[in-house]
């Protein structure tokens, strides 16, 4: 994702941390809550459009306990 971001961005406004400080996060969850799973779950879960880069610290702070 970092390579795609760097190739496609047109400004220098966005800074992406080094890979050891960034997590690849799923927008639509890998394990949705009961009743929230899409019928097309397996077709969408690992597509690039469902992935986002998120700072490791932020990602860790928002995970449920």
């Amino acid at each position: 994702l970092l390579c795609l971001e760097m190739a496609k961005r047109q400004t220098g406004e966005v800074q992406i941390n080094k890979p050891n400080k960034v997590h690849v996060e799923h927008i639509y969850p890998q394990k949705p809550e009961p009743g929230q799973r899409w019928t097309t779950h397996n077709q969408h879960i690992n597509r690039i459009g469902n992935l986002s880069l998120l700072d490791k610290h932020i990602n860790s702070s928002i995970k449920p306990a």
Side-chain angles (χ1 to χ4, degrees):
L1 287 175
L2 176 61
C3 291
L4 285 172
E5 173 66 29
M6 298 304 264
K8 294 295 182 181
R9 89 163 103 164
Q10 296 184 14
T11 68
E13 298 167 351
V14 178
Q15 180 179 353
I16 300 174
N17 282 329
K18 295 180 181 179
N20 65 337
K21 295 187 178 196
V22 175
H23 287 175
V24 175
E25 186 62 28
H26 289 78
I27 298 166
Y28 166 69
Q30 291 174 294
K31 298 176 183 176
E33 297 291 324
Q36 299 296 313
R37 185 181 172 106
W38 297 351
T39 57
T40 56
H41 175 87
N42 291 334
Q43 295 171 349
H44 296 283
I45 193 65
N46 289 318
R47 296 192 68 159
I48 197 161
N50 188 45
L51 304 176
S52 179
L53 296 176
L54 190 60
D55 182 89
K56 180 179 174 181
H57 177 72
I58 294 171
N59 193 31
S60 297
S61 70
I62 62 173
K63 292 212 181 234

